[in-house]
Every structure is written in structure tokens, then in C-alpha cells.
Amino acid sequence: MEEYPVVDVSVVPEQRASWSGKLAFVLAAAGSAVGLGTIWRFPYLAAHYGGGTFIIVFLGLMLTLGVTLLVLEAALGRYTQSSVIKAFASFGRRWRPAGVFIAIIPFVISAYYCVVGGWVTHYMFAYGAGQSAQLADGGASFSAFIADSPQSVAFMLVFAAITFITVALGVNGGVERANLIMMPALIVISFLIAIYTLAQPGALAGLQYFFVPDWSKFSAELLIAALGQTFFGLSVATAVMVTYGSYMKKNVSVTSSSLQTTLTTLGISLLAGLMIIPATFVALGSADAVAKNSGPSLMFLVLPQVFVKLGVAGSVLGFVFFLLVVFAALTSMISLVESDVTILQDTLGWTRRKSLLIVIIFITLAGSVVTLGYSSLSFIQPLGKGTTLLDFLDFLTSSVMMPLAALVTCLLVGWVWRPDVLVDEVRESSRFRLRRAWVVMLQYVTPVLIVLVLVTSLLKAFGVISF
Ligand code: PFF
């Protein structure tokens, strides 16, 4: 067996920032994980795939595969003290291309995430300006907004600018502080809204619909969706957690902070479901209607109709809800921008300032192009008729690049570099009681599951199979 340490400690830049403690890491990692995927995608996936059935499968995947990958990536970042390209290259130069492949992912996601960030920022302002009734017009105002390029580009830029400023303020002064403020606020607001919506008449039937499993909905498609939600929802397989792990001090437990991050993300996912599904159930009247309306439009088209029925309280609720979504989206976007910046910094030896400047230019241009995908560039339909650039980039990252990234990482750590390297790293700060289970997960279970899901979803995307 080859021996490491391959990492030459003398080349570790001395000034590398570090989180002030465990809470800072957990809040930042959970901040990255909890985002549009949690609040927007999870509730509609759960509603669509039979409520409790999806929740149980998702819970199982998060607590096994999700935690495995989180421990792996955080330990890899901390062991190598670098972002993903340098981390891979520190095991030998030939692994660098694999690192480069993974490093592309946060750049692509940040290019379209800011666009949806702009949409939710617009909704927050619109509710703040008392436009609850206009937003509830069944989608006309939403379609008009995304097709109005100056307006939607402007909101995308406002959203992105907040993350640029945060990252410019540094890891401790910006990223850590932003999460320290926004994450607790987000948790409190989630509780308040969930309690309010559950207190509405009829909500209990919706609650039952959300939690009670309907096993007839269990399918390969459900499994693919749950796995995709595990990756995207936990921000693993994207280089982000390697970057955040590289700021982790040696005395902070990798295992318990990964578990806490996962549990926080799970908790907020369930709260998001509690905020949205019972209320939608009340407004639409039946489980069938909820399932039918449980697509991506749930948040932008259906929820405003729910809010408007609540009168003035609904306007306030709409504003507070979208404030929460903006917070969630910002903390995720911050993790993407921070990762983009460190990747350039670590790999090309640029200063943080220069790296950030290049990232700002990239996101401004790429985000504008993706926004124009709904207006002047709408003829670009890479996934077929009616699809947009954003749909394509989302599919490319979530369904293709992230599973491949997770597969490559598991195979390299599990079989080529050997898990012991990272087991020792984890043990620097805590016991690792589930070490054996972790090794089995990353050597066997995760790769097999990913290959199955990847092949099935590609066959489906190209129309070879259908379900
Ligand atoms: N986890 C975020 C969400 O659920 O919205 C999205 C995300 C952020 C994915 C950062 C990947 C990533 F690297």
C-alpha cells in the first residue's frame, strides 16, 4: 500500500483562513446546504412522490450517503488545506484533471443559482411593496418578469452583489458573520411560519398527506429524485465542502460537525415542507390537486395564490417567507462564490482580490446570459422544446456532473489513495466509531448506487427508457 503523507506541509500557505470554531463551520456548511433546493425543491418533490415515502427514502440517504460524503470532503479539505484541484493534485499530479472536473461544478452552479436568487429577491421586494394580489395572478406576472431582461438582470445582480460583498469581507469577517446572522434568523422564521400555517383550519389533513407514506409511489424515479436531492441539498460533490473543510481547525470534530450539518439540513427541509404543503393543501382542497401542482412552479405560482387568500396576513407572510428564501439562497450562493474564489487562488496562485474580481466578471456575464435564456436567447433549448439554458445547466450539474464527481471521489479515496489517509485525519479531532461502516459506504454502497442512478437517469433523459 502506498504511503502518504503526500501533502507537503511546508507548502501550506500560512495565512489560510480558519473558522473561529465548530459552530462557525456547522452554520456555514448548513448555510450552503440549506438553500433553494431545500425550501423550493424538497417540498414539491415530497408532495409529488407520495409524501412520507419520499421523506423516508431521503432521510435514509442523507444519514448514510450524505454524511459519508460530507465527512469525506471535509476531511479531504482539512487534510490537504486546499480547495479541490490542489487537494486532488496533492495525491499525485495525474489526479489533477479529476480535481479540475469537480472544480468546474461550483462555477456552473453559481452562474444559474444567482438567476433564481434574483427571482426570489424580486418576490421579496414585491411583497414588501404590497403587490400580493398581482403576484397571485396564476403566473402571468411571473412570466412577464422573467422575460423582462433589464428587470430580471437587475435583480440577479442585486442578489449576486450581496454575495460578492460578503466574500470580499473575508472568511471570518464576511462568510462566517453572514451565516452567523442569517442562519439563526432563518431557523426562527421557519418555525414561526410553520406554526402559523399549521394553525390554519384544515391544515391537519395536509399534514397527514405530507407525512403518511404512500408506498405505491415508490419507484426508480423516486430514488433518483431523492439521491439528486441528497447531493444538491447537502452541497456535496461540488467542491464546496472541500473548501469549507479546508478552513476547519484540527481540533474541531469532523464527524459530529458533519452529522450536525446534515441534521440541521434535514430539519429545515422538513420545516419547509410543513410551511408549504399543508397551506397548499388547504388552498387547493385535495391531495390530487397538490400532487398535480407540485412542480417547480409551486413556489412562484401556487404559493402566492395561497398567500392572497389570507388577506393582509398573507402579504406579511409572503414578505417574511421570501425574506427567508432570500437568506437561504444567499448563504448557499456565498459558499459557491467563496469556492470559486479559493479554487482560482489556490490553483493559479492569484491574490484573493484578483480571484474575486475574475469571479465577479464571470458571474455577471454568465448570470446575464442565463437570464436572457428566458427572453432574447430563448431559442437556445439544449434539452429539447420548451427547455431553457437554466434547465440545461441544472440538469448538467445535478444529474450528470455531481454524481460523476461523487463517484470519482469515492473511487479515488476508497480504492486508490485508500481510506486510511482520511480516517487518520478524522481521528485527529475525534474518535471514529463508525469507521468501518464509513469505509464500506464509500468503497461499495455509494459507487454502486451512483452508477445505477446515473445510468438510469441518462437512459431516461435520452428517451431509451421511460417511467
Ligand atoms: N445546497 C444548495 C440548495 O439546496 O439550494 C444548493 C447548492 C449550493 C448546491 C452549493 C451545490 C453547492 F455547491
Side-chain angles (χ1 to χ4, degrees):
M1 195 174 83
E2 230 176 311
E3 264 306 303
Y4 298 101
V6 186
V7 179
D8 176 2
V9 184
S10 63
V11 299
V12 172
E14 250 165 46
Q15 72 282 23
R16 191 166 196 86
S18 62
W19 306 116
S20 61
K22 182 175 177 189
L23 180 70
F25 171 80
V26 173
L27 286 184
S32 172
V34 173
L36 295 161
T38 316
I39 296 176
W40 175 30
R41 210 192 235 171
F42 171 77
Y44 80 69
L45 286 179
H48 188 75
Y49 290 109
T53 315
F54 185 84
I55 296 177
I56 291 171
V57 175
F58 178 59
L59 210 88
L61 285 175
M62 285 282 274
L63 291 174
T64 50
L65 199 129
V67 183
T68 301
L69 288 170
L70 203 52
V71 167
L72 188 160
E73 294 183 14
L76 182 64
R78 192 173 75 173
Y79 174 64
T80 57
Q81 289 286 294
S82 2
S83 49
V84 75
I85 299 182
K86 217 170 139 202
F88 273 46
S90 66
F91 290 93
R93 280 198 68 78
R94 69 196 141 148
W95 306 119
R96 205 180 136 94
V100 172
F101 172 75
I102 300 175
I104 294 172
I105 300 174
F107 283 89
V108 180
I109 300 181
S110 52
Y112 73 83
Y113 204 80
C114 60
V115 176
V116 188
W119 299 351
V120 291
T121 310
H122 161 72
Y123 267 61
M124 184 189 76
F125 278 110
Y127 273 106
Q131 295 170 2
S132 177
Q134 286 100 302
L135 296 176
D137 61 3
S141 65
F142 178 66
S143 307
F145 168 72
I146 57 176
D148 176 352
S149 34
Q151 237 210 98
S152 45
V153 167
F155 276 100
M156 180 274 292
L157 288 178
V158 168
F159 175 81
I162 301 174
T163 65
F164 299 151
I165 294 169
T166 309
V167 172
L169 291 172
V171 173
N172 299 108
V175 180
E176 184 172 322
R177 197 181 310 162
N179 281 299
L180 205 62
I181 297 168
M182 284 194 265
M183 286 307 285
L186 184 151
I187 293 172
V188 171
I189 298 176
S190 305
F191 268 109
L192 292 180
I193 299 183
I195 291 169
Y196 180 84
T197 59
L198 287 175
Q200 299 303 308
L204 285 184
L207 190 65
Q208 193 181 2
Y209 166 73
F210 182 56
F211 275 120
V212 176
D214 171 2
W215 289 106
S216 70
K217 296 270 171 65
F218 186 83
S219 60
E221 195 182 337
L222 178 148
L223 197 62
I224 294 175
L227 194 74
Q229 181 64 16
T230 304
F231 286 139
F232 194 81
L234 212 45
S235 307
V236 286
T238 55
V240 165
M241 291 303 176
V242 179
T243 295
Y244 273 12
S246 74
Y247 301 147
M248 212 176 183
K249 287 198 179 115
K250 292 280 184 191
N251 61 359
V252 169
S253 162
V254 177
T255 45
S256 77
S257 45
S258 298
L259 189 63
Q260 283 170 14
T261 302
T262 310
L263 290 176
T264 309
T265 309
L266 266 173
I268 302 179
S269 303
L270 291 178
L271 269 178
L274 289 181
M275 282 188 270
I276 294 173
I277 303 302
T280 315
F281 190 88
V282 172
L284 300 181
S286 75
D288 269 357
V290 179
K292 257 194 220 107
N293 283 288
S294 298
S297 60
L298 186 68
M299 189 156 87
F300 297 109
L301 311 191
V302 182
L303 268 189
Q305 294 174 23
V306 174
F307 292 144
V308 83
K309 290 198 176 146
L310 299 172
V312 181
S315 300
V316 177
L317 202 64
F319 173 74
V320 179
F321 175 78
F322 279 100
L323 175 72
L324 166 130
V325 183
V326 167
F327 278 179
L330 278 174
T331 50
S332 299
M333 184 72 188
I334 288 170
S335 73
L336 290 161
V337 176
E338 177 63 35
S339 299
D340 294 350
V341 169
T342 23
I343 285 168
L344 294 182
Q345 222 183 327
D346 288 347
T347 314
L348 302 173
W350 292 352
T351 59
R352 188 173 166 94
R353 215 191 158 97
K354 178 173 174 190
S355 309
L356 177 61
L357 194 70
I358 299 298
V359 169
I360 292 176
I361 295 171
F362 166 75
I363 292 179
T364 304
L365 292 178
S368 301
V369 170
V370 176
T371 307
L372 295 182
Y374 289 90
S375 48
S376 43
L377 298 180
S378 63
F379 62 89
I380 307 177
Q381 304 185 348
L383 293 180
K385 217 169 151 19
T387 62
T388 59
L389 257 174
L390 192 148
D391 297 330
F392 170 66
L393 296 179
D394 184 31
F395 172 79
L396 183 71
T397 45
S398 315
S399 303
V400 184
M401 294 183 82
M402 285 163 74
L404 276 177
L407 184 65
V408 167
T409 313
C410 284
L411 292 180
L412 286 179
V413 174
W415 296 102
V416 185
W417 305 335
R418 313 298 303 174
D420 284 353
V421 194
L422 297 185
V423 168
D424 290 345
E425 179 62 36
V426 172
R427 281 188 170 149
E428 287 245 345
S429 45
S430 65
R431 291 173 57 201
F432 196 178
R433 264 174 292 176
L434 292 177
R435 177 181 58 87
R436 288 232 170 83
W438 183 74
V439 172
V440 171
M441 280 301 300
L442 75 89
Q443 282 186 325
Y444 299 98
V445 182
T446 311
V448 168
L449 209 65
I450 294 174
V451 169
L452 276 179
V453 163
L454 198 62
V455 171
T456 324
S457 63
L458 285 179
L459 289 179
K460 182 172 175 254
F462 292 106
V464 182
I465 53 169
S466 66
F467 43 70

